[in-house]
Amino acid sequence: MAEERLATRTQFPASAESQKPRLKKAQEFPILEKQNWLIHLHYIRKDYEACKAVIKEQLQETQGLCEYAIYVQALIFRLEGNIQESLELFQTCAVLSPQCADNLKQVARSLFLLGKHKAAIEVYNEAAKLNQKDWEICHNLGVCYIYLKQFDKAHDQLHNALHLNRHDLTYIMLGKIHLLQGDLDKAIEIYKKAVEFSPENTELLTTLGLLYLQLGIYQKAFEHLGNALTYDPTNYKAILAAGSMMQTHGDFDVALTKYRVVACAVPESPPLWNNIGMCFFGKKKYVAAISCLKRANYLAPFDWKILYNLGLVHLTMQQYASAFHFVSAAINLQPKMGELFMLLAVALTNLEDPENARRAYAEAARLDRCNPLVNLNYAVLLYNQGERKGALAQFQEMEKKIRLLKDSPSLEFDAEMVEMAQKLGAALQVGEALVWTKPVKDTKSKHRSASASKAASLQQPLGSNQALGQAMSSAAAYRKLPSGAGATAQPTKPPSLPLEPEPAAGAQPTEAPAQIRETQE
Amino acid sequence: MAAASSSDSDSGRAESSEASSKWLDAHYDPMANIHTFSSCLGESLGPGTPLVVGDLGPSGQHPRLKVLKGPTVLTESPLPALPAAAATFLMEQHEPRTPALALASGPCVYVYKNLKPYFKFTLPQLPPNPLEQDLWNQVKEDRIDPLTLKEMLEVLCVCRFLQLELSEMEAFVSQHKSKSIKRQTVITTMTTLKKNLADEDAVSCLVLGTENKELLVLDPEAFTILAKMSLPSVPVFLEVSGQFDVEFRLAAACRNGNIYILRRDSKRPKYCIELSAQPVGLVRVHKVLVVGSNQDTLHGFTHKGKKLWTVQMPAAILTMNLLEQRSRSLQAVMAGLANGEVHIYHDKALLNVIRTPDVVTSLCFGRYGREDNTLIMTTRGGGLIIKILKRTAVFVEARGEAGPPPAQAMKLNVPRKTRLYVDQTLREREAGTAMHRTFQTDLYLLRLRAARAYVQALESSLNPVSVTAREPLKLHAVVSFQVCRAIRLPQGQEGRGQG
C-alpha cells in the first residue's frame, strides 16, 4: 500500500491562530461543551448506558461545570424514576445558568412529578417571567392547577397555551377539566375543535366517540370511532366501543370478528371478555357465554356488570341457585340499582321463596326511577299471589314510567314486555287501551354490554331497548299460555299467571320459563 | 493494518439468502471495529473514491479516520479529537478536481485532501461578556480583590475561576492578568451546501452548527465566514437545499425539540416546527422534511412547517438517512431501528424492510467503488455491513391497509367446558331450590356459630385483645379443613390458653 500510515499527530499548516500559547490555555481550560453533541446523540437514541459513561467522563474533566451533562444526567434519572435526584441536579443547572428558562421549567416539572404542585406553580411563574410566550409553561401551569382542583385558573392557563401554540395535549387537558366538572357539552366542543386541528389523532377521535356514546348520539359516535379505526385498526378502546354499539344493534357476528383483533393484542381485558360473552349470549350460545363471562369475572372479580351478566345468563339457563349468588354478589358491589334487585327477585321466585322475592321487588321498585319492567314484574308477582290491589298499583306505576319514557325519541319497547303488559292489563281489567304507540322492536339483544372504556367510568345508556330487554326471561316466566302451548313438562314449579280472572287451577305451572321464551322468539 | 482482519467474504457478490430480497449481501464483518454515526460517514463523491469514516472508537476513546475501499479498511489515522461530523465536498473549480474531506471535531474543522491533512479551520472565538470583561480589567488594574471578583462573577456565569480555593485565586489572577478573556465554542453538526451550481460536481460550502446556537456558512476556497445565522437553540441535525448564491433553505433540528427553517438572507428562523419529543433524524425528500422522533414515530412536514403525515415505528429510531436511486429517480428515507431492522419509506408507504444481525447505528447509501447503489451500515457492536441493491430491484409500495389486520382471522380461544360442567348444570336445574335452601341454611348456621364462638371468646377472655391502637396484635393462623386449632401468638404476647 502506498498510502501513508500516520501514526503520530498530524501537523496542520495555516491554522487561524497560532498553536502554542493556545495549547497551554487549552490544557488549562478544556472547553466545557466539548462533548455535548455526543451526550445528546446517545440520549436521543435511548442509549442511556453510553450516555452516562460520557457524562461521567465530562463531569470529571470539567469538575462538574458542564451544564448540559448535568442536565442530561437529570433527564436520565427522571426516566429511571429517581425524581428526587433529578430535581437536585436540575436545581444545580438552574444555579449554573440562572437566565435559562429551560432549567427552571425542568425544576418545576420535577416538583410536579413529586406531587408538590404549589411549589411547581411558583417555579413556573418564575420561568414565565423569563420567557413570556412559552406555551409549555402555560400548559403545565394549567395541569398543576387541575391537580390543585382550581379549575378556573387551569382553564385560563390552558386557553393561553392554545393561543400561543396549538397542541393536542392541551386540548386533551381542557377536555379533562370539563369532564371533571361534569360538563359533557363543553367537553365535546373542545374535542371537536381538537379533531379539526389534528384529524389523525386516534386518541382524540376515540374520546370524542365515547362522549357521543355517553350522550346517546350514536350516529356521530360511530362515525368518529370508525375514523379512529381506519387510522389505527388495532385501537383497543375504539374497537370495544364500536363493538358494543354493534351488539346493541344485534350484529353479534361482526362484533365478534372485531373483538378478535383486540383479543390478540390485549388478551387479559375484563370488559373485552364481558362483551364477547354477551355476543355469545345474543347468539344463544349460553355455555360459551358463561365461559367467557367467568373468565372476565376471574380477571375482574369486583366488577358488578360482569356479575350482573352472569346472573342473567344463569337465569336463562335455569340455574337459579347460581344466578342468586351472582346477583347477590353484584348487589354487594352496587347496592343502589333497581334492576339488580329485580333479577334477584326473579331468581328467588323460581327458588320458591315468594316472601323474599316480594321484598326484593319492593326494594327494586323503591330504587328504580325509570324502568317500567321492574314494576311490571312486581305486578305479575303480586297478581300471582292474589293481591290484586297491589298489582294494580304497580301496574299504574309502570304506566307512569312508560309515559315518561315515550318522550325519548330513540326508545323501542320489547315485544314480549308489551304483550305481557297487555295480558296483565286485561287480567286486571284495567280497561282503557294501553298506550303503546311506539314502534315495537323484535329484539334479540337482551343483555347489558360493558362499556368500552372502564377508565372513563361510563354509565350505560339506560333508555334504550337494551336496558328494557334486560330480564325478559322474568317477564316470560309468568306467562302461561292458554291451553298448553309449549307444554313440555319440567319438574320446576314457577308460579304462572292465570289469564282468566278466576284462578285457573291455582298455580299449576307446567312450563319452564326459559322454554317458553325460546319458543316465542 | 488494523481491524477488519477476520473478514470472511470478499467484496465479490455473495448471494443473499432470500432469492426474493432486493439486496445482495456484499460483505458482513462483525469484527470490523467501526463505531460511528451517520453524520460521520463521508460519502464517496466519485468512482474510485473510497468511503471515509470518522470512527469514534469503541467507547469514545481513540478516534480514528478510517478509509474503506471494498470491504476492507484501507488506512487508518488517529484524529486529534472525537469527530462530530464528516463531509466530503469539492473545494475548488480548477483541476485536479479531487474531493476533500472535512472533519469537524471540537472547535475546529480539519480538511483532508487526498487523505493528507490540508487545512485546519478554527471557529472564531466568542466575544466575552462585557460585564465580565470589565471585571477582569478591574482585577488587572488591581482595583478589586479576587474575592469581590468571585462574588460578582457568580452572578454572571460559570467559569473555572469560581472553583478555585482562595489561595489559588491569587496565583490564578496574577498568572492570567495579562491575557484577555476568550471563549471558545464547539461545532455540533456540519453539512455541505452547493455554492452556485446545482451540479453534482460543483463547488460546495460548508455549513456548521455550533454550540453557541449559531449557524456559519464557510467559503470553500478561502474558509471565510460567508454568512452567520442564529437559532434559539443548539442545532443537532441540518438539512439544506438550494445554492448559497442563489436561494437556499436550511432546516435545523435543535436540542429543544424544535425544527427551525431558515432561508437565505434571514438571520433568524422563518418557520418553526414544534415536535413534542426530541428529533432523532432529519431527511429532506424533495419538498418534504421527514423527521424521526424520540417517540418512535416518523413525521412528514412541508417546508413551511405543516404536518403532512405520521407513521408509527415498531421500535425506537436510531438513525436516518436518504436513499436515492438515481436510475429510477426514487428518493426514500431509511430508518435504522432498535430491533435490528432497517425500514425504507417513501412518504407514508413502507417500501422495504432489511433485517440485520445487529442493531444498525449508521447508514449511508450511494456510490461505493464501482457499484452505484450500495448501502453501507455499521452496527452497534462495531460491525460493518455492505449491501448492494440489485439492478432489477423495483420498490413497490405496499397497497395501504390490505383489508383487516391479520389478527382478525384468528379465532377467539374461548375456554372449553367439560362433561362435568354439563352434569353439574343439569343437576342444578333439577334440584336448584333444594340446593339454595341447604346452602342458605348452612350459611346462617355458620354465621351463628361464628358469632357464638366470638361472644364466648370475649366473655371468657380467651382472645388477647389489644387495648391501644398503637400496638396491634399479630396472629398467625393455620387453616385446615377441621376446626381451626393452632393459633400461634407472637412471642411477646401471653398466650393464655388456646384460641
Side-chain angles (χ1 to χ4, degrees):
Chain A
M1 302 278 181
E3 280 83 359
E4 71 277 20
R5 233 153 285 181
L6 303 168
T8 56
R9 189 170 267 272
T10 55
Q11 298 302 314
F12 281 90
S15 89
E17 311 205 342
S18 67
Q19 281 271 16
K20 291 216 174 87
R22 276 200 65 243
L23 204 56
K24 184 167 163 214
K25 191 150 192 181
Q27 276 167 0
E28 285 187 28
F29 305 113
I31 304 173
L32 293 177
E33 307 104 1
K34 202 164 58 157
Q35 294 201 0
N36 282 3
W37 62 274
L38 188 59
I39 296 175
H40 182 80
L41 268 183
H42 281 308
Y43 173 70
I44 55 179
R45 286 154 157 239
K46 304 191 189 179
D47 201 357
Y48 300 126
E49 293 310 317
C51 195
K52 283 199 250 192
V54 181
I55 289 177
K56 198 164 157 191
E57 193 192 313
Q58 280 302 289
L59 285 178
Q60 264 176 348
E61 246 187 75
T62 61
Q63 295 185 348
L65 287 179
C66 177
E67 187 199 328
Y68 195 66
I70 303 179
Y71 187 89
V72 177
Q73 177 74 285
L75 284 174
I76 296 182
F77 274 144
R78 185 194 283 169
L79 283 170
E80 290 171 351
N82 300 336
I83 315 273
Q84 188 59 36
E85 282 147 20
S86 160
L87 173 65
E88 283 160 21
L89 284 180
F90 279 129
Q91 279 166 336
T92 320
C93 285
V95 163
L96 281 175
S97 96
Q99 298 302 313
C100 179
D102 222 11
N103 292 333
L104 285 176
K105 279 195 327 196
Q106 293 292 0
V107 169
R109 176 129 187 102
S110 301
L111 287 168
F112 169 82
L113 287 171
L114 285 172
K116 303 184 181 156
H117 301 123
K118 286 213 179 113
I121 288 180
E122 277 170 30
V123 183
Y124 271 126
N125 283 330
E126 262 186 59
K129 282 186 216 151
L130 289 173
N131 183 355
Q132 242 69 353
K133 300 213 162 189
D134 193 346
W135 78 270
E136 220 178 343
I137 295 182
C138 294
H139 174 97
N140 287 327
L141 272 172
V143 177
C144 289
Y145 280 125
I146 291 182
Y147 276 89
L148 289 176
K149 307 266 195 278
Q150 295 176 5
F151 293 127
D152 297 314
K153 287 194 190 161
H155 197 260
D156 294 328
Q157 288 295 338
L158 289 172
H159 267 293
N160 284 346
L162 277 180
H163 281 307
L164 290 171
N165 205 331
R166 302 208 287 174
H167 278 261
D168 292 340
L169 210 51
T170 321
Y171 281 118
I172 293 178
M173 284 294 146
L174 261 177
K176 235 191 227 179
I177 294 184
H178 291 303
L179 285 175
L180 282 172
Q181 291 178 312
D183 195 344
L184 281 185
D185 292 314
K186 277 203 197 142
I188 288 189
E189 285 300 318
I190 296 284
Y191 278 114
K192 275 208 284 210
K193 278 192 219 153
V195 165
E196 266 173 47
F197 167 68
S198 171
E200 287 192 21
N201 188 328
T202 48
E203 195 188 331
L204 291 172
L205 286 168
T206 318
T207 321
L208 188 54
L210 287 174
L211 285 175
Y212 275 126
L213 200 59
Q214 239 180 312
L215 284 183
I217 307 176
Y218 296 117
Q219 200 52 33
K220 289 209 164 174
F222 205 68
E223 183 191 320
H224 287 289
L225 291 170
N227 278 343
L229 283 175
T230 47
Y231 292 121
D232 181 12
T234 54
N235 188 328
Y236 167 74
K237 274 194 210 173
I239 290 187
L240 273 190
S244 73
M245 287 181 69
M246 286 185 228
Q247 274 179 258
T248 56
H249 286 109
D251 287 330
F252 299 115
D253 292 308
V254 181
L256 273 176
T257 38
K258 290 275 177 227
Y259 287 142
R260 281 183 193 170
V261 178
V262 190
C264 286
V266 190
E268 308 258 323
S269 152
L272 172 69
W273 285 107
N274 180 43
N275 286 10
I276 295 178
M278 296 324 279
C279 278
F280 283 126
F281 182 72
K283 289 169 63 163
K284 309 236 182 66
K285 296 195 176 156
Y286 301 120
V287 179
I290 289 185
S291 305
C292 295
L293 284 171
K294 283 214 170 141
R295 174 180 270 180
N297 186 36
Y298 168 77
L299 292 169
F302 296 120
D303 188 349
W304 68 270
K305 286 183 188 157
I306 301 177
L307 290 165
Y308 178 102
N309 284 337
L310 273 168
L312 182 64
V313 180
H314 281 99
L315 278 180
T316 321
M317 293 273 282
Q318 301 164 36
Q319 293 179 265
Y320 300 112
S322 312
F324 175 85
H325 280 294
F326 287 119
V327 178
S328 46
I331 288 180
N332 278 332
L333 293 169
Q334 180 84 337
K336 300 270 182 253
M337 188 157 186
E339 277 91 356
L340 283 172
F341 280 102
M342 179 179 73
L343 280 191
L344 188 67
V346 172
L348 285 168
T349 319
N350 285 310
L351 289 171
E352 294 174 22
D353 191 353
E355 295 101 36
N356 284 324
R358 263 179 91 157
R359 285 157 71 191
Y361 271 126
E363 189 67 19
R366 190 181 71 83
L367 286 172
D368 184 81
R369 292 271 163 271
C370 54
N371 192 346
L373 193 58
V374 174
N375 299 92
L376 178 63
N377 284 340
Y378 195 8
V380 167
L381 175 69
L382 288 172
Y383 184 82
N384 277 346
Q385 292 183 339
E387 289 207 19
R388 297 186 63 120
K389 264 197 227 152
L392 199 55
Q394 287 302 319
F395 194 81
Q396 281 161 350
E397 276 291 321
M398 179 195 77
E399 287 191 303
K400 257 192 249 173
K401 284 188 184 168
I402 288 173
R403 262 182 226 118
L404 281 173
L405 283 175
K406 271 170 64 172
D407 301 326
S408 151
S410 63
L411 195 54
E412 293 153 0
F413 291 113
D414 194 72
E416 280 189 63
M417 181 178 144
V418 175
E419 222 180 311
M420 175 53 80
Q422 283 172 335
K423 286 202 179 125
L424 184 58
L428 290 173
Q429 292 164 337
V430 173
E432 63 270 20
L434 295 172
V435 204
W436 295 100
T437 54
K438 279 284 171 183
V440 161
K441 180 171 170 251
D442 199 8
T443 176
K444 296 183 185 68
S445 78
K446 304 172 171 96
H447 52 269
R448 172 182 296 268
S449 22
S451 77
S453 125
K454 297 192 105 183
S457 64
L458 214 48
Q459 269 298 320
Q460 266 300 318
L462 280 184
S464 66
N465 66 322
Q466 67 176 12
L468 286 179
Q470 276 156 21
M472 285 319 295
S473 56
S474 60
Y478 301 94
R479 181 194 320 248
K480 177 186 172 194
L481 296 174
S483 55
T488 49
Q490 288 279 334
T492 56
K493 296 170 172 253
S496 68
L497 172 67
L499 292 178
E500 291 73 35
E502 52 278 317
Q508 296 307 324
T510 49
E511 302 87 9
Q515 210 68 350
I516 300 172
R517 199 171 124 287
E518 277 152 50
T519 57
Q520 286 297 320
E521 287 164 16
Chain B
M1 181 76 83
S5 45
S6 61
S7 59
D8 38 339
S9 65
D10 213 22
S11 63
R13 318 270 180 84
E15 287 301 322
S16 66
S17 46
E18 307 163 10
S20 60
S21 167
K22 299 187 168 57
W23 300 88
L24 291 170
D25 288 325
H27 178 68
Y28 171 48
D29 180 9
M31 307 300 290
N33 200 21
I34 300 179
H35 299 84
T36 182
F37 299 111
S38 290
S39 50
C40 297
L41 289 177
E43 253 188 61
S44 51
L45 277 189
T49 53
L51 180 77
V52 281
V53 176
D55 182 4
L56 281 86
S59 48
Q61 321 290 335
H62 316 299
R64 285 186 152 78
L65 177 68
K66 286 190 178 152
V67 177
L68 300 177
K69 196 159 191 184
T72 50
V73 174
L74 202 57
T75 56
E76 248 188 69
S77 42
L79 288 174
L82 283 184
T88 45
F89 68 113
L90 272 169
M91 281 176 66
E92 59 236 340
Q93 271 299 113
H94 53 79
E95 300 295 323
R97 316 212 25 226
T98 44
L101 167 73
L103 267 179
S105 71
C108 312
V109 179
Y110 302 95
V111 182
Y112 290 77
K113 236 187 177 180
N114 287 327
L115 303 172
K116 290 192 211 130
Y118 179 73
F119 185 71
K120 172 178 153 185
F121 170 81
T122 314
L123 286 178
Q125 302 209 330
L126 304 172
N129 190 335
L131 288 173
E132 201 184 335
Q133 181 74 55
D134 195 40
L135 283 173
W136 282 103
N137 282 343
Q138 290 186 4
V139 167
K140 226 193 279 189
E141 296 162 15
D142 287 330
R143 276 197 268 152
I144 55 174
D145 66 322
L147 209 54
T148 329
L149 175 63
K150 175 172 180 174
E151 280 166 24
M152 309 201 67
L153 276 180
E154 261 171 7
V155 176
L156 280 182
C157 69
V158 56
C159 59
R160 284 304 280 259
F161 181 69
L162 296 172
Q163 297 259 323
L164 299 173
E165 298 291 333
L166 189 55
S167 49
E168 295 173 7
M169 269 194 238
E170 295 272 4
F172 183 88
V173 167
S174 50
Q175 197 174 27
H176 293 102
K177 245 195 235 187
S178 48
K179 303 202 190 82
S180 53
I181 312 176
K182 295 189 177 107
R183 281 195 304 154
Q184 184 61 279
T185 184
V186 170
I187 300 175
T188 56
T189 177
M190 178 169 77
T191 185
T192 56
L193 170 65
K194 295 266 180 277
K195 186 135 196 286
N196 38 29
L197 293 172
D199 302 337
E200 256 192 58
D201 52 354
V203 171
S204 306
C205 309
L206 284 177
V207 182
L208 305 173
T210 69
E211 189 79 35
N212 198 35
K213 305 182 188 169
E214 278 180 343
L215 289 169
L216 305 171
V217 182
L218 297 182
D219 178 66
E221 295 183 29
F223 281 94
T224 50
I225 299 181
L226 291 174
K228 208 189 249 198
M229 291 163 270
S230 65
L231 294 170
S233 174
V234 183
V236 183
F237 299 108
L238 288 177
E239 268 290 333
V240 290
S241 67
Q243 297 92 44
F244 177 74
D245 286 340
V246 181
E247 170 69 49
F248 68 88
R249 244 184 253 269
L250 210 153
C254 296
R255 276 192 204 154
N256 59 356
N258 296 349
I259 300 171
Y260 298 102
I261 301 174
L262 298 100
R263 294 177 68 161
R264 185 171 191 269
D265 292 338
S266 65
K267 293 284 171 197
R268 309 208 59 101
K270 200 149 192 280
Y271 305 106
C272 168
I273 301 174
E274 274 190 28
L275 294 178
S276 45
Q278 290 282 350
V280 184
L282 182 65
V283 176
R284 191 185 51 85
V285 179
H286 297 302
K287 292 239 176 206
V288 175
L289 274 176
V290 181
V291 182
S293 97
N294 210 1
Q295 289 169 340
D296 310 349
T297 50
L298 210 60
H299 303 276
F301 291 94
T302 64
H303 57 248
K304 292 219 167 81
K306 185 168 172 316
K307 191 194 280 202
L308 290 172
W309 46 262
T310 306
V311 178
Q312 185 78 25
M313 298 281 122
I317 305 175
L318 292 181
T319 181
M320 283 168 57
N321 212 330
L322 179 70
L323 184 150
E324 194 167 3
Q325 195 183 13
R326 294 222 166 87
S327 53
R328 289 180 214 273
S329 49
L330 168 76
Q331 278 194 342
V333 173
M334 301 181 288
L337 303 180
N339 58 356
E341 291 176 3
V342 176
H343 284 222
I344 303 180
Y345 283 89
H346 178 64
D347 271 349
K348 283 173 90 155
L350 177 64
L351 292 183
N352 198 325
V353 175
I354 305 173
R355 286 196 180 81
T356 54
D358 190 7
V359 177
V360 167
T361 54
S362 78
L363 294 164
C364 185
F365 184 89
R367 187 184 288 143
Y368 182 55
R370 277 177 301 201
E371 274 300 321
D372 264 352
N373 300 325
T374 323
L375 175 63
I376 299 179
M377 304 180 265
T378 66
T379 66
R380 192 177 263 166
L384 176 70
I385 307 177
I386 303 180
K387 283 189 193 271
I388 301 175
L389 186 61
K390 287 183 190 166
R391 280 199 204 108
T392 54
V394 178
F395 286 117
V396 177
E397 294 182 19
R399 248 20 212 90
E401 292 300 320
Q408 216 166 294
M410 298 169 51
K411 290 200 161 196
L412 292 169
N413 67 331
V414 178
R416 301 170 92 89
K417 289 295 185 192
T418 56
R419 178 80 207 152
L420 180 63
Y421 172 79
V422 178
D423 289 341
Q424 296 282 19
T425 311
L426 291 175
R427 178 168 160 255
E428 187 187 336
R429 276 193 193 171
E430 290 165 20
T433 317
M435 284 162 105
H436 177 77
R437 288 202 184 131
T438 319
F439 181 83
Q440 294 290 339
T441 321
D442 286 345
L443 184 63
Y444 287 129
L445 275 177
L446 181 65
R447 284 183 184 155
L448 183 62
R449 280 201 196 122
R452 278 195 187 140
Y454 189 57
V455 169
Q456 199 181 13
L458 276 179
E459 283 179 359
S460 44
S461 308
L462 283 179
N463 269 3
V465 174
S466 160
V467 177
T468 60
R470 255 180 268 135
E471 292 176 45
L473 279 187
K474 277 196 192 141
L475 288 182
H476 299 277
V478 172
V479 177
S480 63
F481 277 105
Q482 290 90 36
V483 171
C484 182
R485 278 192 189 281
I487 300 182
R488 289 195 192 85
L489 297 173
Q491 301 254 320
Q493 308 296 327
E494 308 169 40
R496 285 186 240 167
Q498 294 178 13

